[in-house]
C-alpha cells in the first residue's frame, strides 16, 4: 500500500501543473483591472499605470505566466497585489481557523450523521426512522446563512452562551461548526441509511444472523463496516468542498479564515492571493481524494488486493 | 433487543455531552462578562465594562497600515489612531492644525510655512521635528514608492527646514486644496522608516494617541494607549480593538451582547431593530457621500438638457430617501454634500411629474423612451435602481436595470477610450471626496479632462466655463474667491443637470451608551482620540 500511496502522490504533480495553468488563465479572463480597483475611484491614469508597472500587469500574458511559474517553482507565492503583504504570511494566518472549523464540522457531522443513518436503517419505517428522516431533510433544506443568524440570536444574544463571532476560544467554533456541518450531517445521514439498508439485505448478513451472531455484532462489525465505503466517498468529497466553501459561515461569524480571504481577494482581483488559494484548495482536494482511496483499502481489504 | 439499547445509549451519551459542554460554556461566559441576562427582545444585556479596553466592530478588513498608501476609509481610520499629520480634520471636516502649532500661506499662495508643536515625540522615543516632515514628504514624492498620496504632493517644488521647528513648503503653482492634502499626510518616524523598510505597513510608528500592539489580519487590530502622548490627559482608554465583522446582523448582535462597544456602519434597515434598546445609542450625521445617477450627456436622448431636467423633476427624492434609505439621509441639493468645503446649496427640481412630462414633450419625447441604468449588484444599490425605474416609468421612460459586480462594472465603464465608444447611459453611483475638499468633489466628476478612463466624469459633461473655473478655483489664494468660484460651478452644473441628483448618505453608528467620544467623521473615518468609558 505504501508504494501505491507514493505512486498516487507523485501523480499529483502533473495534475497540479495543469491546475496552475488553468487557474492562471481563468483569473486573467475575469473582467476587472486590479490596478484600477486598488487605486480607487479618484485615481489618475498615471497612478493606475504606475501600479500596473509595479505589479508587472502591463507585461504580455505569457511573460506574466512565466514569471508566475518561476516564482511558484522556487516556492515564492508573491505578495498580495492589494496590500503588499507576502501571500504565504496571509495563508499562514488564515489557515488555522478554517482548518479547525472544517475538522470540527466534519467530526460532529460524521458521528451524528452516521448515528442517525444507522438508527434509521435499523428501525426502518418506525418512529426513530421518521424522526431521523425529518432531521436530515430539515438540515438539508435550512439555508446555512439563516441558520447561522438564528443560532447567533438564540445562543449569543438571548442566552449569552457563545460569542457572536471571532476566534478567541474553542467556544467561538461551536456555533459556526454547527452551521457548517448541518448540511453534511444530513447528507451523511441519508447516505448511511440507504447504504446500511442495502447491506442489511445482503446474504452474508443473513448468514451471520443464521449463525447466531448477536445483532450488535452483525450491525457494527459487518453491516456498518461495509456500508461505510459509500459514506467515506461522500464524506471525503464533502470535506474537500468544506475547506474551500466555508465562505458563508466565515462571513456570518466573522472568522478570519481562507474562505473570507478568497472572497475579499476576488472582489479586488488580487491575482496572487486568488492563485495561491485556488492552488491550495486544489491540492487539498487531490490529497483528500487520495486519502479516501487509501481508506477503501483499510475498510475492505479486497479492494486493496485487486489494485 | 439488547443491541438497539446500546445504539440508543450511545446516542444519549452524545446528547448529554453536547448539553453539558454548552452549559459549561454558559457559566464561563457569564463570569467573564459580568453577568448576562436572558429574556425577550429587550435583552440588550446591559453589561457595564469596568475595564478601559474598547472594541469597535467595522464591516471590512484593514488593507494596510501605511498611512501614505491607504486609500480605503478603514485603513485611514486605523492609521489615524497611531499617526498624526501637520494638519487634521475636525468633526465637520474643517482643516485644523495638529502637529503644526500654526501655519501661514504667502500672498501668492506658493509658500506654506508651518511652525511645529514643541515637545512631541514619536512612539519610538525619537523627536518629532522639521527634518522628520521633510523625510516624509520625500518618501511620498518618490516615484519608486508609488504611494497613493503622491499625486497630492505633485505640486510641491521644495521643502526647507530653516530650523528644527519650522518647515517651509514651496509649491510650483498655487493649489487651493493643498492644506486638505497636508491633513491627509500623517508623519511617520524617520527612524522606523529606515529600520522597518517595507514592513512599515505592518509596524506603524507615529506620534498619535495610540501605539501599535497587534494586527492579526482579518481578525483584529489592537492599539494601546501611548503613555507619552503630547496632548494632556489623552487618551482616556487603555486600548482599542478593531474587529472586521462583514455581516450586518453579526455586528448588531455584537453590540447587543456587549462584545462590541461601537459598531460602524450600522445598516439603515436595521436601525429600528436596536433603537430604544436599553444601553444602546444610535448616532447619525450627514456624510460627504453623495448618491446620484450620471446621464451620458453625449448620448441621445440625454444630450438634451430638457430630458435631463425632466428626469430630475420626475424622481421624488423625498420618497427615495424613505424607500431606499429607510428615511436616513437627505436630499442632494448641490453637486456636493453640505459637509464638503465650499458647498453652496441650490434650489429647484422639486418633484413635479407634469413639468417632467412637459419638458420631455418639448425635447421631442412626448411618449418617453427606452434606456438602461447600470449599478453594482449590492442589495441597496439594486433597490435604488428599481426605485428610479419605477419613478421614470410614470413619465413614460422605460428603464432596464443592469446590475454588475464591481470589477466588471469598472471594466465596462473604463473600456471606452473616447466618449463616442462609451456604452454607458445612466449609472447609479456614489462619490465621496477623500479629503473633504471641493476640488476632490468637482474635478474628477465635471472636468472634461476627466472622461473615463482618465477620471470619473461618466456623464461626459463638458462645459467650458466649468473647465475654466475648476482650473481657476485651484489657483485661488483667497478662500472667499475660491468659494465664489465653486458656487458658480455648483450653480452651472445644477442647471445643466448631467446627473439625476439623488441624496446625501447619513453616517449611522451604534454604541453602548457608556461609551463616549468615539465619532465617525463625515468622510466615514472613525475618530477615537476622545474615547472614554463612563
Amino acid at each position: 500500500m505504501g508504494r501505491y500511496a507514493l505512486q498516487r502522490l507523485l501523480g499529483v504533480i502533473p495534475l497540479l501543473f495543469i491546475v496552475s495553468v488553468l487557474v492562471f488563465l481563468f483569473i486573467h479572463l475575469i473582467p476587472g483591472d486590479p490596478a484600477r480597483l486598488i487605486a480607487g475611484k479618484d485615481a489618475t491614469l498615471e497612478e493606475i499605470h504606475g501600479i500596473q508597472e509595479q505589479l508587472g500587469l502591463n507585461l504580455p500574458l505569457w511573460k506574466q505566466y512565466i514569471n508566475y511559474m518561476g516564482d511558484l517553482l522556487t516556492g515564492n507565492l508573491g505578495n498580495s497585489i492589494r496590500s503588499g503583504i507576502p501571500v504565504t504570511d496571509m495563508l499562514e494566518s488564515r489557515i488555522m481557523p478554517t482548518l479547525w472549523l472544517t475538522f470540527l464540522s466534519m467530526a460532529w457531522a460524521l458521528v451524528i450523521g452516521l448515528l442517525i443513518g444507522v438508527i434509521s436503517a435499523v428501525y426502518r419505517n418506525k418512529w426513530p426512522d421518521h424522526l431521523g428522516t425529518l432531521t436530515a431533510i430539515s438540515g438539508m433544506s435550512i439555508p446555512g446563512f439563516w441558520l447561522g443568524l438564528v443560532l447567533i440570536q438564540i445562543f449569543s444574544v438571548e442566552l449569552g452562551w457563545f460569542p457572536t463571532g471571532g476566534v478567541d476560544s474553542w467556544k467561538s467554533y461551536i456555533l459556526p461548526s454547527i452551521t457548517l456541518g448541518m448540511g453534511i450531517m444530513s447528507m451523511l445521514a441519508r447516505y448511511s441509511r440507504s447504504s446500511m439498508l442495502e447491506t442489511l439485505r445482503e446474504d452474508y448478513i443473513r448468514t451471520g444472523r443464521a449463525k447466531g451472531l448477536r445483532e450488535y455484532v452483525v450491525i457494527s462489525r459487518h453491516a456498518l463496516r461495509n456500508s461505510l465505503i459509500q459514506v467515506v466517498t461522500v464524506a471525503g468529497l464533502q470535506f474537500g468542498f468544506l475547506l474551500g466553501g466555508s465562505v458563508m459561515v466565515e462571513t456570518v461569524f466573522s472568522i478570519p479564515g481562507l474562505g473570507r480571504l478568497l472572497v475579499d481577494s476576488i472582489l479586488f482581483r488580487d491575482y496572487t492571493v486568488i492563485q495561491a488559494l485556488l492552488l491550495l484548495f486544489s491540492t487539498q482536494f487531490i490529497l483528500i481524494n487520495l486519502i479516501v482511496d487509501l481508506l477503501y483499502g483499510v475498510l475492505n481489504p479486497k479492494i486493496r488486493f485487486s489494485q | 433487543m439488547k443491541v438497539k439499547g446500546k445504539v440508543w445509549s450511545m446516542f444519549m451519551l452524545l446528547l448529554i455531552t453536547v448539553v453539558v459542554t454548552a452549559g459549561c460554556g454558559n457559566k464561563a461566559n457569564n463570569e467573564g462578562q459580568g453577568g448576562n441576562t436572558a429574556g425577550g427582545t429587550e435583552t440588550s444585556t446591559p453589561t457595564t465594562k469596568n475595564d478601559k479596553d474598547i472594541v469597535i466592530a467595522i464591516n471590512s478588513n484593514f488593507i494596510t497600515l501605511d498611512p501614505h498608501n491607504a486609500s480605503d476609509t478603514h485603513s485611514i481610520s486605523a492609521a489615524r489612531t497611531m499617526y498624526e499629520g501637520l494638519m487634521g480634520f475636525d468633526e465637520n471636516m474643517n482643516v485644523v492644525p495638529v502637529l503644526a502649532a500654526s501655519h501661514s500661506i504667502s500672498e501668492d499662495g506658493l509658500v506654506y510655512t508651518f511652525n511645529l508643536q514643541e515637545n512631541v515625540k514619536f512612539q519610538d522615543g525619537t523627536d518629532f521635528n522639521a527634518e522628520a516632515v521633510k523625510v516624509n514628504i520625500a518618501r511620498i514624492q518618490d516615484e519608486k514608492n508609488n504611494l497613493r498620496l503622491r499625486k497630492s504632493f505633485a505640486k510641491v517644488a521644495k521643502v526647507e527646514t530653516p530650523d528644527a521647528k519650522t518647515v517651509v513648503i514651496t509649491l510650483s503653482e498655487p493649489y487651493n486644496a493643498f492644506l486638505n492634502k497636508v491633513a491627509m499626510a500623517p508623519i511617520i518616524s524617520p527612524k522606523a522608516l529606515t529600520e522597518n523598510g517595507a514592513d512599515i505597513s505592518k509596524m506603524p510608528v507615529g506620534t498619535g494617541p495610540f501605539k501599535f500592539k497587534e494586527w492579526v489580519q482579518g481578525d483584529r487590530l489592537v492599539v494601546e494607549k501611548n503613555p507619552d502622548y503630547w496632548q494632556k490627559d489623552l487618551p482616556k482608554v487603555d486600548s482599542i480593538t478593531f474587529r472586521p465583522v462583514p455581516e450586518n446582523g453579526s455586528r448588531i448582535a455584537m453590540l447587543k451582547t456587549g462584545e462590541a462597544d461601537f459598531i460602524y456602519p450600522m445598516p439603515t434597515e436595521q436601525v429600528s431593530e436596536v433603537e430604544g434598546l436599553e444601553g444602546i445609542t444610535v448616532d447619525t450625521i450627514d456624510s460627504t457621500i453623495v448618491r446620484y445617477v450620471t446621464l451620458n450627456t453625449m448620448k441621445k436622448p440625454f444630450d438634451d438638457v430638457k430630458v435631463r431636467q425632466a428626469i430630475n423633476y420626475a424622481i421624488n427624492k423625498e420618497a427615495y430617501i424613505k424607500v431606499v434609505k429607510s428615511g436616513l439621509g437627505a436630499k442632494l441639493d448641490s453637486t456636493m454634500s453640505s459637509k464638503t468645503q465650499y458647498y453652496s446649496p441650490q434650489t429647484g427640481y422639486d418633484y413635479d411629474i407634469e413639468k417632467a412630462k412637459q419638458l420631455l414633450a418639448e425635447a421631442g419625447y412626448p411618449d418617453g423612451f427606452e434606456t438602461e441604468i447600470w449599478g453594482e449588484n449590492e442589495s441597496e444599490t439594486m433597490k435604488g435602481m428599481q426605485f428610479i425605474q419605477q419613478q421614470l416609468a410614470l413619465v413614460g421612460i422605460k428603464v432596464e436595470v443592469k446590475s454588475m459586480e464591481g470589477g466588471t462594472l469598472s471594466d465596462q465603464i473604463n473600456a471606452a477610450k473616447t466618449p463616442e465608444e462609451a456604452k454607458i447611459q445612466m449609472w447609479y453611483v456614489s462619490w465621496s471626496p477623500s479629503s473633504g475638499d471641493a476640488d476632490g468633489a468637482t474635478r474628477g466628476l465635471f472636468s472634461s479632462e476627466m472622461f473615463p478612463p482618465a477620471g470619473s466624469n461618466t456623464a461626459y459633461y463638458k462645459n467650458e466655463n466649468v473647465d475654466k473655473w475648476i482650473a481657476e478655483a485651484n489657483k485661488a489664494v483667497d478662500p472667499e474667491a475660491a468659494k465664489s468660484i465653486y458656487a458658480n460651478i455648483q450653480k452651472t452644473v445644477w442647471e445643466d443637470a448631467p446627473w439625476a441628483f439623488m441624496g446625501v448618505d447619513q453616517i449611522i453608528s451604534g454604541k453602548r451608551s457608556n461609551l463616549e467620544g468615539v465619532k465617525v467623521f463625515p468622510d466615514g473615518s472613525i475618530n477615537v482620540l476622545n474615547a472614554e468609558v463612563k
Side-chain angles (χ1 to χ4, degrees):
Chain A
M1 187 147 96
R3 209 172 135 212
Y4 170 65
L6 190 70
Q7 260 177 1
R8 284 287 311 267
L9 263 177
L10 288 177
V12 167
I13 295 169
L15 207 53
L16 276 180
F17 175 75
I18 296 170
V19 169
S20 76
V21 178
L22 288 180
V23 163
F24 179 85
L25 286 177
F26 277 135
I27 288 178
H28 285 80
L29 279 178
I30 329 174
D33 173 8
R36 194 174 276 280
L37 294 171
I38 292 160
K41 279 199 289 197
D42 56 345
T44 60
L45 267 189
E46 189 204 353
E47 249 181 299
I48 293 166
H49 291 153
I51 295 176
Q52 282 171 339
E53 212 167 294
Q54 199 180 26
L55 301 172
L57 293 170
N58 54 344
L59 299 173
L61 204 58
W62 62 272
K63 250 191 184 157
Q64 288 188 43
Y65 180 72
I66 288 179
N67 290 345
Y68 156 66
M69 276 316 280
D71 284 349
L72 203 61
L73 288 177
T74 53
N76 179 5
L77 292 173
N79 292 346
S80 153
I81 289 185
R82 191 169 172 224
S83 63
I85 297 167
V87 175
T88 35
D89 282 11
M90 293 175 97
L91 297 188
E92 210 182 286
S93 68
R94 300 292 193 102
I95 198 162
M96 279 331 281
T98 300
L99 281 183
W100 275 117
L101 179 61
T102 318
F103 278 118
L104 264 172
S105 312
M106 202 63 212
W108 83 260
L110 252 178
V111 173
I112 308 275
L114 266 178
L115 261 179
I116 294 182
V118 170
I119 292 169
S120 293
V122 172
Y123 293 88
R124 190 154 79 110
N125 289 334
K126 302 219 176 71
W127 72 265
D129 184 22
H130 296 313
L131 184 70
T133 306
L134 186 75
T135 316
I137 302 276
S138 328
M140 260 185 263
S141 359
I142 294 175
F145 196 83
W146 179 81
L147 177 66
L149 288 176
V150 168
L151 289 178
I152 290 181
Q153 182 63 31
I154 298 175
F155 293 101
S156 308
V157 178
E158 305 286 345
L159 299 171
W161 289 3
F162 300 106
T164 53
V167 286
D168 298 323
S169 70
W170 60 271
K171 267 192 278 173
S172 314
Y173 287 102
I174 303 290
L175 298 183
S177 67
I178 292 177
T179 313
L180 187 60
M182 190 58 88
I184 294 148
M185 184 276 285
S186 311
M187 194 179 286
L188 290 177
R190 297 311 289 162
Y191 268 96
S192 50
R193 178 183 180 271
S194 61
S195 172
M196 191 77 185
L197 279 176
E198 220 169 273
T199 323
L200 284 175
R201 271 189 230 113
E202 296 280 341
D203 290 343
Y204 62 85
I205 298 289
R206 206 177 322 137
T207 316
R209 282 185 180 143
K211 266 168 55 185
L213 281 180
R214 286 186 302 162
E215 186 70 12
Y216 170 67
V217 177
V218 170
I219 289 179
S220 66
R221 295 276 297 277
H222 298 276
L224 185 62
R225 188 166 176 156
N226 280 297
S227 40
L228 269 182
I229 292 187
Q230 260 202 52
V231 178
V232 162
T233 313
V234 176
L237 275 177
Q238 285 303 318
F239 190 64
F241 284 119
L242 267 193
L243 261 180
S246 52
V247 174
M248 174 275 301
V249 175
E250 287 181 8
T251 306
V252 173
F253 291 94
S254 29
I255 292 170
L258 297 175
R260 242 176 81 198
L261 182 63
L262 181 64
V263 173
D264 284 353
S265 312
I266 289 177
L267 282 180
F268 279 86
R269 306 291 188 270
D270 199 334
Y271 290 166
T272 43
V273 183
I274 306 175
Q275 277 160 356
L277 280 172
L278 292 185
L279 267 183
L280 182 74
F281 291 145
S282 317
T283 314
Q284 53 92 4
F285 219 95
I286 295 169
L287 286 181
I288 286 171
N289 265 306
L290 175 63
I291 294 170
V292 167
D293 283 359
L294 295 178
L295 266 181
Y296 285 171
V298 176
L299 288 169
N300 185 350
K302 258 161 79 188
I303 294 179
R304 186 173 33 182
F305 294 135
S306 59
Q307 284 295 334
Chain B
M1 293 290 260
K2 211 173 159 194
V3 186
K4 287 174 185 170
K6 266 215 165 150
V7 176
W8 275 110
S9 52
M10 262 170 80
F11 186 73
M12 288 313 289
L13 191 73
L14 235 144
L15 206 74
I16 292 167
T17 320
V18 171
V19 171
V20 169
T21 330
C24 294
N26 180 19
K27 196 176 159 208
N29 195 313
N30 277 346
E31 278 164 7
Q33 293 232 337
N36 284 349
T37 50
T41 40
E42 289 291 317
T43 332
S44 94
T45 48
T47 28
T48 36
K49 281 204 166 184
N50 296 321
D51 56 305
K52 300 210 167 172
D53 301 303
I54 60 173
V55 177
I56 296 178
I58 50 177
N59 61 337
S60 63
N61 297 334
F62 299 110
I63 309 305
T64 176
L65 298 180
D66 181 341
H68 298 161
N69 206 28
S71 54
D72 62 299
T73 320
H74 286 325
S75 295
I76 291 172
S77 299
R80 283 183 188 159
T81 63
M82 296 167 275
Y83 286 112
E84 291 169 313
L86 293 177
M87 309 297 284
F89 297 100
D90 70 7
E91 56 190 278
N92 289 311
M93 293 307 284
N94 296 314
V95 178
V96 291
V98 181
L99 289 178
S102 63
H103 70 277
S104 59
I105 307 170
S106 68
E107 264 180 34
D108 59 3
L110 288 177
V111 184
Y112 285 68
T113 308
F114 297 92
N115 301 305
L116 308 186
Q117 292 278 4
E118 304 278 342
N119 302 321
V120 178
K121 281 196 187 301
F122 287 106
Q123 289 146 8
D124 57 10
T126 53
D127 281 334
F128 163 75
N129 53 29
E131 193 50 37
V133 178
K134 192 173 176 176
V135 169
N136 273 265
I137 296 179
R139 175 180 192 246
I140 292 169
Q141 284 190 301
D142 190 342
E143 225 169 280
K144 281 203 301 287
N145 295 333
N146 200 17
L147 297 165
R148 291 279 290 124
L149 268 182
R150 186 158 70 94
K151 73 171 172 207
S152 302
F153 284 76
K155 295 191 171 99
V156 172
K158 63 177 173 188
V159 182
E160 291 158 303
T161 53
D163 61 64
K165 290 294 157 202
T166 313
V167 178
V168 182
I169 301 177
T170 310
L171 303 184
S172 54
E173 56 180 284
Y175 184 25
N176 191 273
F178 186 62
L179 270 191
N180 291 63
K181 302 301 176 192
V182 171
M184 293 296 289
I187 306 295
I188 308 174
S189 152
K191 179 170 169 244
L193 268 181
T194 328
E195 284 175 3
N196 300 347
D199 280 344
I200 196 73
S201 61
K202 291 186 282 177
M203 294 182 236
V205 183
T207 61
F210 294 93
K211 284 199 302 191
F212 175 73
K213 186 172 176 204
E214 166 187 47
W215 182 26
V216 183
Q217 278 173 58
D219 188 45
R220 63 184 180 274
L221 167 72
V222 187
V223 294
E224 59 186 3
K225 183 178 187 162
N226 171 9
D228 306 316
Y229 187 56
W230 59 278
Q231 294 202 55
K232 269 217 157 67
D233 302 326
L234 286 174
K236 293 173 194 149
V237 291
D238 297 328
S239 79
I240 294 173
T241 304
F242 290 92
R243 296 206 93 124
V245 180
E247 166 52 34
N248 290 335
S250 311
R251 272 200 309 285
I252 291 201
M254 281 181 81
L255 183 66
K256 285 184 183 168
T257 59
E259 280 167 81
D261 302 276
F262 191 92
I263 63 167
Y264 171 75
M266 166 88 88
T268 48
E269 62 268 28
Q270 271 151 358
V271 168
S272 55
E273 199 186 306
V274 291
E275 237 170 5
L277 282 188
E278 203 191 315
I280 292 179
T281 313
V282 176
D283 284 335
T284 53
I285 56 157
D286 284 345
S287 71
T288 53
I289 305 162
V290 295
R291 300 233 169 229
Y292 55 92
V293 181
T294 60
L295 308 168
N296 186 340
T297 59
M298 292 204 178
K299 248 193 164 45
K300 272 193 181 313
F302 304 111
D303 57 346
D304 191 326
V305 66
K306 283 183 179 160
V307 170
R308 303 194 301 260
Q309 289 175 337
I311 288 175
N312 270 296
Y313 281 114
I315 301 173
N316 185 343
K317 303 335 180 330
E318 274 92 11
Y320 162 76
I321 304 289
K322 270 193 205 130
V323 173
V324 182
K325 295 280 168 191
S326 308
L328 295 158
K331 215 169 118 175
L332 177 59
D333 60 357
S334 182
T335 61
M336 54 176 84
S337 134
S338 63
K339 298 286 178 187
T340 306
Q341 186 193 26
Y342 304 137
Y343 153 83
S344 151
Q346 310 296 318
T347 51
Y349 301 137
D350 293 328
Y351 182 53
D352 188 340
I353 214 160
E354 288 313 313
K355 181 124 190 200
K357 281 183 182 159
Q358 184 201 329
L359 282 166
L360 279 177
E362 283 173 26
Y365 302 95
D367 303 320
F369 51 86
E370 282 179 24
T371 183
E372 61 183 37
I373 188 166
W374 293 357
E376 288 203 21
N377 54 2
E378 166 264 334
S379 65
E380 198 194 272
T381 306
M382 309 246 294
K383 204 166 155 189
M385 288 195 283
Q386 283 152 3
F387 176 83
I388 292 161
Q389 180 187 44
Q390 180 269 333
Q391 294 277 293
L392 294 184
L394 299 180
V395 294
I397 303 176
K398 286 185 199 64
V399 183
E400 192 190 338
V401 171
K402 281 197 174 167
S403 58
M404 284 172 261
E405 186 269 338
T408 313
L409 185 57
S410 156
D411 249 21
Q412 286 280 315
I413 286 162
N414 294 302
K417 301 290 171 234
T418 60
E420 292 74 34
E421 286 174 30
K423 291 198 187 78
I424 187 168
Q425 300 180 41
M426 300 169 80
W427 181 22
Y428 175 60
V429 68
S430 68
W431 181 271
S432 173
S434 58
S435 55
D437 63 303
D439 187 53
T442 310
R443 176 190 300 273
L445 302 168
F446 303 116
S447 159
S448 64
E449 288 168 10
M450 289 296 176
F451 293 163
S456 289
N457 184 353
T458 47
Y460 291 94
Y461 174 67
K462 185 174 168 62
N463 180 311
E464 276 166 21
N465 282 330
V466 171
D467 279 342
K468 194 180 77 193
W469 288 328
I470 289 175
E472 272 176 23
N474 238 338
K475 292 183 180 142
V477 181
D478 174 24
E480 281 308 308
K483 193 174 176 183
S484 85
I485 298 172
Y486 277 112
N488 278 339
I489 296 176
Q490 288 170 70
K491 185 163 182 286
T492 309
V493 175
W494 182 260
E495 281 162 8
D496 285 345
W499 290 358
F501 301 93
M502 303 299 293
V504 176
D505 280 11
Q506 264 180 347
I507 284 186
I508 310 163
S509 53
K511 65 176 181 94
R512 304 292 311 178
S513 304
N514 59 353
L515 177 72
E516 275 177 25
V518 179
K519 286 217 159 75
V520 184
F521 282 3
D523 66 344
S525 65
I526 303 169
N527 185 291
V528 292
L529 176 64
N530 296 304
E532 193 175 354
V533 182
K534 292 215 164 153

